[in-house]
Amino acid sequence: MFLKQYLIPRLIQYILVILLGISAVFFIPRLLPNDPVLRTISEMRARGSYMEPGAMDKIISDLQQMYGLEGSIFDQYLAFWGRLFRGDLGVSFFQFPTPVLDLIMTALPWTAGLLLTTTLLSWAIGNLVGGFAGYFANQRWSRVLDAIAMIVRPLPYYIFAFALLLLFSYLLRLFPVSGGARLGMRPSWTWPFIQSVLWHSFLPALSIFVLSAAVWFQTMKLVVQNVNAESFVTYAKLSGVKEGHIVARYVIRNALLPQITGLGLSLGLIFSGALITEIVYSYPGLGTLLYNAIINGDYNLIMGITIFSIIAITTSVLIVDLIYPFFDPRIRYM
């Protein structure tokens, strides 16, 4: 029953979402006004490169072939899927002839290390503090934390990131202005390199952590207040169950269920990078790489990064759906 009624339809839905998402990613960048072939020709002319009469068509044809842009859009679409099934995302336009997969693999550890850490910490701390603040909503410390979260939460990421950058990097000069590590250092599992990475990533991590924790805090507080008003919690209190047991086993445990789904989506978004935050701090992750790809009209790189994000998000949601009964015994698939 589980296999026929849930797992197979869910896997079909999973595959269809990936196919439709990747197809949209293929067509949308081609609607941009940037043409990488014409940009390359313009750069060649700006450098004073001499072109013989009649050579322009040959150069354009060669560039279209190298970039995978030859033929109609339908021909490009079929060729794109053929390369994708072979694990070939093509080459980058603005960093030609570097393969897109190499660029993504170089930037991915920076983004994964930054966002995975901040996502898990903000989720754990925001939900824990928000859970107790929701249960003890009448306490003064709960109202103070809620007021702080209400001020912090609406702030745009780039405004908060700029504020931290101006305060701690330019005024106090406590942290580096940009980069992921000290210039000239090669990535390695040595303490000097790890220390440099932690020092350079502190402000980007802080900007993401504070805003994300504020969101988790307020969401969890509201959910806990709703759960606390349920009849089974009232019955437990009237039955003389210890308050600590009620908070941990009845209230927070039930309130965490929707937050687990949110965590799965947040983990999937790691692969798309924190675009604004990474740009502000010139952090060498997927966000900065995606920004450069959009500015330069690099279709292949845009598609490569977004494909990783689509697969990660859909896979994380699928995993959460499959393991959800372990957290919520009320849910059954058969």
Side-chain angles (χ1 to χ4, degrees):
M1 294 291 289
F2 166 73
L3 184 66
K4 183 178 181 181
Q5 293 186 0
Y6 182 79
L7 184 59
I8 293 179
R10 186 65 182 83
L11 290 176
I12 293 174
Q13 181 187 23
Y14 168 75
I15 294 172
L16 286 176
V17 169
I18 290 179
L19 292 178
L20 292 175
I22 293 177
S23 298
V25 168
F26 173 84
F27 288 106
I28 290 176
R30 282 163 171 76
L31 300 177
L32 297 174
N34 295 327
D35 189 328
V37 174
L38 296 181
R39 180 183 293 103
T40 303
I41 297 296
S42 301
E43 291 176 354
M44 293 173 62
R45 287 176 171 173
R47 291 193 298 266
S49 300
Y50 174 73
M51 297 183 186
E52 296 181 358
M56 179 67 69
D57 294 338
K58 173 63 176 174
I59 294 175
I60 293 177
S61 177
D62 292 341
L63 289 174
Q64 288 177 338
Q65 184 177 6
M66 286 190 298
Y67 291 161
L69 298 175
E70 57 183 348
S72 64
I73 292 184
F74 183 71
D75 294 332
Q76 296 175 31
Y77 183 68
L78 294 179
F80 163 73
W81 277 108
R83 294 195 308 270
L84 187 61
F85 283 126
R86 297 193 303 269
D88 180 14
L89 296 175
V91 297
S92 172
F93 297 167
F94 81 101
Q95 296 192 43
F96 184 84
T98 306
V100 166
L101 192 59
D102 290 351
L103 292 175
I104 293 177
M105 289 298 103
T106 300
L108 182 58
W110 295 96
T111 294
L114 175 67
L115 291 185
L116 185 61
T117 303
T118 54
T119 298
L120 294 177
L121 284 177
S122 63
W123 184 86
I125 296 176
N127 283 307
L128 181 62
V129 178
F132 284 102
Y135 187 82
F136 301 101
N138 295 324
Q139 298 291 328
R140 182 178 179 182
W141 62 268
S142 176
R143 294 195 296 268
V144 170
L145 289 178
D146 191 39
I148 295 175
M150 290 182 64
I151 295 174
V152 173
R153 181 178 178 177
L155 292 176
Y157 271 98
Y158 59 92
I159 296 295
F160 191 66
F162 269 121
L164 292 179
L165 185 67
L166 291 174
L167 178 61
F168 291 104
S169 295
Y170 286 99
L171 295 180
L172 301 179
R173 300 184 181 274
L174 296 177
F175 294 96
V177 176
S178 62
R182 194 182 310 134
L183 291 176
M185 295 190 72
R186 293 185 177 181
S188 61
W189 291 106
T190 60
W191 174 242
F193 178 75
I194 294 175
Q195 187 180 29
S196 180
V197 169
L198 293 175
W199 196 247
H200 281 74
S201 62
F202 181 82
L203 287 184
L206 182 63
S207 63
I208 297 173
F209 170 80
V210 171
L211 296 181
S212 298
V215 173
W216 291 119
F217 170 85
Q218 286 199 312
T219 305
M220 185 64 171
K221 183 179 178 181
L222 291 174
V223 175
V224 164
Q225 287 176 330
N226 291 330
V227 173
N228 195 31
E230 295 287 342
S231 57
F232 68 90
V233 177
T234 304
Y235 179 78
K237 293 178 180 179
L238 295 176
S239 300
V241 179
K242 293 182 179 180
E243 192 169 43
H245 189 81
I246 294 175
V247 175
R249 298 298 299 274
Y250 292 170
V251 179
I252 293 182
R253 185 177 180 181
N254 282 278
L256 272 177
L257 297 177
Q259 303 296 78
I260 293 173
T261 303
L263 176 62
L265 294 173
S266 299
L267 291 176
L269 291 173
I270 286 175
F271 289 86
S272 62
L275 181 62
I276 301 297
T277 303
E278 291 188 359
I279 293 173
V280 170
Y281 293 99
S282 299
Y283 192 79
L286 289 176
T288 302
L289 190 65
L290 179 61
Y291 172 76
N292 291 328
I294 295 173
I295 292 299
N296 292 277
D298 194 336
Y299 302 156
N300 287 346
L301 189 53
I302 294 172
M303 289 188 297
I305 296 174
T306 314
I307 286 171
F308 267 78
S309 179
I310 291 172
I311 295 176
I313 294 173
T314 52
T315 303
S316 62
V317 172
L318 176 65
I319 293 174
V320 169
D321 286 346
L322 294 178
I323 67 174
Y324 212 71
F326 292 101
F327 302 102
D328 190 353
R330 296 170 296 182
I331 296 179
R332 291 291 181 267
Y333 294 136
M334 64 177 94

